[in-house]
Structure formats: structure tokens, C-alpha cells
Amino acid sequence: LHGRSAVADVPYEPLAIEPAGDDKTTRYECLCGRLFELHMIDDQGRALAAPRLDDAAQLMQDGYAPSESNPRFHAQMVYAVTSRVHADFRRALGREPGWGFAGEHTRLKVFPLGAQEENAWYDTTAGELVFGWFERENMGVISTALMHDIVAHELTHALLDSQRPHFMEPTGPDVAGFHEGFADLIALMQHFQYREPLMAALADSGGTLLAREQGERPAHWLCRIARQFGAADDLDALRRADRTPADLSYKRKLEEHDMGELLLSAVFDAFDTVFRR
């Protein structure tokens, strides 16, 4: 549909297909670059075909075509979004962000179809990003690896973890909320890098980001987080950047994702104020 797809430019690097797995019975292919290892194995231990992302013939077609049933596209989606977000951090910081996990491996391990769960997560101990998948009777299989916002959100957790020792330790009630809100904010602001969907969203809303006055329509794609995930539970989105003090206000015991939504809404409100001026 119009405005629903985009080609993402990512920093070039040589990629290699390497064998992975801890024993001879679970050997599988792993796509390796300088920063990431895409482990092509599902939650049942079944090996999946690794994508040839730097193959010349594939690049001439702008990569694998969008497909919910092709594991190679799942891996491509994750690689594209994580590479782009990492490049933005590197450019903003003026240095390599590094990784926060300890151990011998230097690359972040990524499992595009790693768990049959309604979840995705960053594991600082193992140095892994794991993306889950789940089923809905009316929607079929739903993969978090195909959700731009979820991928950007989880990588941001990994990048925040690298910035300061013990930065993820819950030393106060706001720490987890800050991490969730900051990760959502990065995911949301990434929307503005994709010209075609951005223009389509602004055209649909008449140039409005947030609806502040009567008759205004919000640009839903620009102020919502993980609309695909929310749709699975008949919600508009997993989280929103247009919360107001009337429906969400600060409390010390606020759940961490709600606390993050509060931070997200405050920053996006300021962003919208600047945009209007």
C-alpha cells in the first residue's frame, strides 16, 4: 500500500556466512559483519537459510522482497534497522558506541526468529537480541523481527547499556522507565528518516503531527510505537507519543513502560511545539 514500504540505505561492510551452533546436531548458518551476528535458527532448533545480503544480484533488486513467510527477509529487516540505528548513534556520539556485554565475543548476537513469545528482548549477560513470534487466529503468524519500532527499540537498549557501567541497574524507580522511554523515542524518531512513508503520513494528517486543536488529525504513523504489535490485541499501537496529563501522569510506582510513555510524550510534545513554530 502507498507509503508502507521503504528502501533503507545502510553503511556498507563485507559480510560472511559462518557456521554456528554449540554441537554437531545444531549446526546452522550465521551471517556475520563487524557489529552483528544474525543467527539463523528458530526456537525449535531448526536451521534457516541465511540471507546473502551483499550478493550483487540481490543488491540490484534492493534486497529480498518484503515477505512475512521468508526468514531471509526477517533477517534482512533486522539487519537493516539495527545497522541504521547504530550508524546514527555513531554519528551523534562522534565515536564507536561499543557494546556493554562482557565475554569473548565482540559482536552482538541477533536471533530474528528466536522464540515463540509475544516479546523481544536484549540480554546483556549473553550479548543477544532475541525477537519472538506468535500467532493470532485472525492474523496468522506475527513476527517482532518485522516490526521496525521493536527492532530499533531493542537495539537502543543494547546501545544504552554500552554508555556507562551499570547503567541498567535499577537503582531507583525511574531507571527502567527512562530506558523504556529513551528506546521508544529513538524508534519513533527513526520514522522521520524514511521519506516516502513520512510524506504519506503528513499528507494524510494535513501536515499535523499531534492533534492539539479541534478538527486536527494526528499523524498516527509518526506518533505511535509498534502499531503492528498493538493491532494483534485490537489496539491502535503498543505505545503512543501523544499522551496528555489527563490520561497519564507521573507516579513513583508507575509501571516502567508507562513511565517510558510519559517521557516519550513529553519529548514529542516539545518536538511538535518546535515543528509548529
Side-chain angles (χ1 to χ4, degrees):
L1 299 178
H2 176 66
R4 295 294 181 91
S5 64
V7 177
D9 292 324
V10 300
Y12 172 77
E13 63 172 347
L15 299 172
I17 303 293
E18 299 179 4
D22 298 328
D23 56 66
K24 293 181 180 179
T25 62
T26 57
R27 301 296 282 178
Y28 58 93
E29 290 184 333
C30 176
L31 179 73
C32 298
R34 184 175 61 88
L35 300 167
F36 306 106
E37 300 175 4
L38 269 66
H39 288 254
M40 299 306 293
I41 186 171
D42 67 11
D43 59 301
Q44 302 296 320
R46 294 171 296 202
L48 306 170
R52 269 57 179 176
L53 296 183
D54 59 351
D55 178 73
Q58 204 63 54
L59 289 173
M60 290 175 65
Q61 303 176 59
D62 288 334
Y64 294 94
S67 170
E68 295 184 2
S69 61
N70 184 359
R72 292 184 174 188
F73 178 72
H74 290 239
Q76 176 179 277
M77 177 81 177
V78 171
Y79 178 82
V81 177
T82 53
S83 296
R84 190 156 187 163
V85 172
H86 187 280
D88 286 343
F89 268 78
R90 185 168 64 244
R91 182 167 55 252
L93 292 170
R95 59 175 174 80
E96 283 289 340
W99 300 119
F101 50 81
E104 296 180 357
H105 64 284
T106 59
R107 297 178 294 213
L108 182 66
K109 297 179 180 179
V110 183
F111 294 82
L113 291 165
Q116 189 174 356
E117 293 186 32
E118 294 184 39
N119 198 8
W121 64 87
Y122 164 63
D123 186 330
T124 182
T125 303
E128 297 176 351
L129 287 186
V130 181
F131 295 95
W133 60 274
F134 54 97
E135 295 184 59
R136 284 289 188 273
E137 185 175 347
N138 61 332
M139 300 178 69
V141 175
I142 301 170
S143 172
T144 60
L146 297 181
M147 301 180 188
H148 171 279
D149 296 346
I150 299 292
V151 178
H153 176 105
E154 297 305 333
L155 181 69
T156 300
H157 280 312
L159 289 166
L160 271 180
D161 184 37
S162 72
Q163 296 309 296
R164 188 177 302 169
H166 309 295
F167 201 22
M168 297 185 73
E169 293 293 328
T171 53
D174 295 357
V175 172
F178 166 75
H179 279 272
E180 294 299 332
F182 191 87
D184 275 351
L185 186 62
I186 295 298
L188 196 74
M189 290 303 186
Q190 284 287 312
H191 293 181
F192 290 85
Q193 295 202 43
Y194 300 97
R195 180 178 176 82
E196 291 302 321
L198 171 62
M199 297 300 288
L202 289 174
D204 183 60
S205 70
T208 302
L209 295 182
L210 296 179
R212 295 179 180 270
E213 301 176 7
Q214 188 174 3
E216 289 186 335
R217 300 190 310 275
H220 291 285
W221 186 69
L222 297 174
C223 60
R224 299 288 193 272
I225 293 289
R227 298 188 71 189
Q228 307 99 313
F229 203 112
D233 294 320
D234 296 322
L235 300 173
D236 180 54
L238 187 61
R239 286 185 286 279
R240 295 166 44 188
D242 57 352
R243 295 292 191 185
T244 66
D247 59 10
L248 185 65
S249 58
Y250 178 81
K251 302 179 184 65
R252 283 182 60 83
K253 294 185 178 181
L254 205 60
E255 193 272 334
E256 60 192 59
H257 294 92
D258 291 336
M259 185 85 78
E261 202 169 17
L262 190 68
L263 173 62
L264 172 71
S265 296
V267 175
F268 201 74
D269 180 80
F271 179 78
D272 181 64
T273 299
V274 174
F275 175 71
R276 286 172 180 264
R277 288 176 182 171

